[in-house]
Amino acid sequence: MRPISVQVRGLLNREEIERYNDLWEVGKFLEGAGKFDLARTIQREIDLLAEPAVEKLMRYENRTGHATVVAAPVIIDNRKKDDAK
């Protein structure tokens, strides 16, 4: 079984998360029992469940026209100050 990423799981609603968790448990059980053909069917169901969230995440990450915010570097000088100057 292939899990979906944390980012994708974060975009699922409560019912979808519960369905994903249930499908995941069934899929792992089937793999443990050696029923890989049935586990493959469960994996397809998980992929279909995650597909809208994956597309939403891709749209979010590929936004254009938004400036990337980059903070100015912070320089920390821990050297002793010379009072003689």
Side-chain angles (χ1 to χ4, degrees):
M1 297 292 300
R2 290 184 325 271
I4 58 177
S5 71
V6 173
Q7 292 90 349
V8 173
R9 274 184 262 166
L11 295 173
L12 299 177
N13 62 34
R14 180 172 298 282
E15 293 88 26
E16 291 169 334
I17 284 289
E18 290 173 0
R19 180 164 167 73
Y20 168 75
N21 289 335
D22 294 341
L23 287 169
W24 181 257
E25 288 179 29
V26 170
K28 290 306 270 183
F29 173 79
L30 290 171
E31 277 187 342
K35 309 274 185 185
F36 297 104
D37 55 336
L38 296 174
R40 191 174 321 120
T41 303
I42 298 296
Q43 183 65 54
R44 273 191 245 126
E45 286 294 319
I46 289 175
D47 293 342
L48 288 173
L49 177 68
E51 188 174 326
V54 169
E55 290 173 4
K56 184 176 180 180
L57 182 63
M58 289 174 62
R59 280 194 311 270
Y60 178 76
E61 288 181 347
N62 293 327
R63 291 184 302 171
T64 56
H66 292 86
T68 305
V69 178
V70 178
V74 176
I75 300 172
I76 300 173
D77 188 2
N78 289 330
R79 294 178 288 179
K80 262 187 169 176
K81 303 285 188 220
D82 189 12
D83 294 327
K85 288 185 179 179

